[in-house]
Each structure stands twice: as C-alpha cells, then as structure tokens.
Amino acid sequence: MKKFAAATLNMILALGVVCILAGVLLFPRLANHFNATVELWTIALTFAGAITFYLSLVKFNSALIRFIGLYSVFSGFFFMIVGSGLVKQGIEGFWPVSIILAGISILLTGLTKDRRIRVSYLFPSVFLVGMGLYFLLFSLNLISMGFRKWISIFWPLFPIFLGICLIVLFLIQQNPASHFPYEDSENSENDSEGESRG
C-alpha cells in the first residue's frame, strides 16, 4: 500500500476525530429513544479528550498529553453510557471499569507513541486492568462475600501469583532472542559497557 503524505495523514486523522465527535453528539438522540438522558459534562469530557488526543498526535509529542486525551475520551463515553441509564447497574456497579480504561489508555499511549509495546507501558497497564477486573467482581456481586473477608481467606494466592510471574519472566529471559523486559537502548548500553571493559 502506498504511503500517504503527512498532510493527507493529518487530514485522515482529523476526519477520524470528527467522526468520533459526530457520534458523541448523536448519542443523546439514541439515548432519548430509550427514555435515557445524557449529562452535558460527559459530552464535554469526550470532546476535550478527542481534541487533546488529536493535538498530542500532530503537535505535542507528549505521552502524558496523549494519555490524558485517550483516557478522557474513553471515560467520558463510559460515563455517558452508564449515566444515561442504558445500563441497569449504575456507576456503583461499574466504577472499576474506569480503572480498566486507564490501563488500556496507558497501553495505547505506548503503542501510538513508540509503535511497539514497551515494558514501561505494559506493566502498569496490565496491573491496572487486572485490578479493575478484580474490583469489578466485587462491585457486580459476582463474588458474594465482602472484600475484606475474601482477602483474609485467599491472601496466599498473591505470593503464588507473584511467583508465577517471576518464573515466567525467568523463562522469557532464557530465550536468547528475547530482549524482554529490557528496551533496545538498555541492551545497547550494556553491550557498549561490556566492549569498553574488554
């Protein structure tokens, strides 16, 4: 496929953002069909996030600004759906989804910024998504006992899980073709230090 010029790519990106914003503006009409209402602040948050994300791609090459834009879009749309009443359980049941969205936003920030998965983005992302899913089990009452009681009974699972993660990390490191969890720059620095000592 032919590579587009920078101006064409910026136009494609702008059209994508405009389509998202048009969908957000039309969402209240969909909500009215189901006798639901959409709060204005959720639309404003989604708009601000989309514009911030667009600016982070074309003007500011900042991971923080990109994360804020992505997270604002995701959380604004999430709160728009939950707050409208389209979902039976309100924010009390689905609040951990905001933690999951933060994890997804971190991973997508790394992918859009470096065009590959980096450890500095992957580990916090996996941690936040895991924590969000864990809390979601309690907030949706999929686990019937209380959080404190569950922790007091099942706390030995945490060192087991940590041990499994460390063993998987060791096995990945045994593969000579793998540079995980180190970045290429870290490997090249270690190689250059070894050569200078030799």
Side-chain angles (χ1 to χ4, degrees):
M1 184 176 177
K2 182 182 174 183
K3 191 169 183 179
F4 295 114
T8 307
L9 286 174
N10 287 342
M11 187 177 292
I12 291 171
L13 177 65
L15 283 173
V17 171
V18 167
C19 287
I20 291 171
L21 296 179
V24 168
L25 284 175
L26 293 172
F27 185 79
R29 183 174 179 154
L30 173 68
N32 282 339
H33 183 71
F34 294 99
N35 295 324
T37 56
V38 176
E39 296 182 25
L40 186 60
W41 70 270
T42 59
I43 295 174
L45 182 63
T46 309
F47 255 79
I51 292 168
T52 303
F53 179 66
Y54 174 76
L55 290 175
S56 75
L57 289 173
V58 297
K59 191 166 185 179
F60 309 108
N61 193 16
S62 168
L64 179 62
I65 294 174
R66 196 164 297 178
F67 167 76
I68 290 171
L70 280 170
Y71 186 61
S72 298
V73 169
F74 291 150
S75 59
F77 195 66
F78 164 69
F79 286 117
M80 189 185 304
I81 292 172
V82 173
S84 67
L86 292 175
V87 182
K88 288 182 180 179
Q89 290 184 330
I91 196 64
E92 299 83 14
F94 285 104
W95 68 266
V97 174
S98 61
I99 300 173
I100 295 170
L101 292 176
I104 293 170
S105 298
I106 290 173
L107 185 63
L108 291 177
T109 297
L111 283 173
T112 57
K113 190 170 187 308
D114 299 324
R115 293 180 177 81
R116 63 190 172 106
I117 296 176
R118 297 186 68 160
V119 179
S120 55
Y121 296 104
L122 179 64
F123 282 172
S125 175
V126 170
F127 176 76
L128 287 173
V129 169
M131 288 295 290
L133 290 173
Y134 178 70
F135 289 134
L136 198 59
L137 295 174
F138 291 97
S139 66
L140 294 177
N141 293 321
L142 297 175
I143 296 178
S144 56
M145 68 179 71
F147 180 73
R148 288 183 184 174
K149 187 175 180 183
W150 194 92
I151 289 289
S152 67
I153 295 171
F154 292 102
W155 69 266
L157 294 178
F158 291 101
I160 292 171
F161 178 72
L162 178 62
I164 290 170
C165 291
L166 292 173
I167 291 170
V168 168
L169 182 61
F170 170 79
L171 293 174
I172 291 173
Q173 282 294 293
Q174 292 298 95
N175 181 3
S178 174
H179 299 295
F180 183 83
Y182 306 107
E183 308 296 343
D184 291 337
S185 59
E186 293 173 356
N187 284 331
S188 61
E189 287 173 9
N190 291 338
D191 293 342
S192 61
E193 285 176 10
E195 289 174 4
S196 62
R197 287 176 189 166

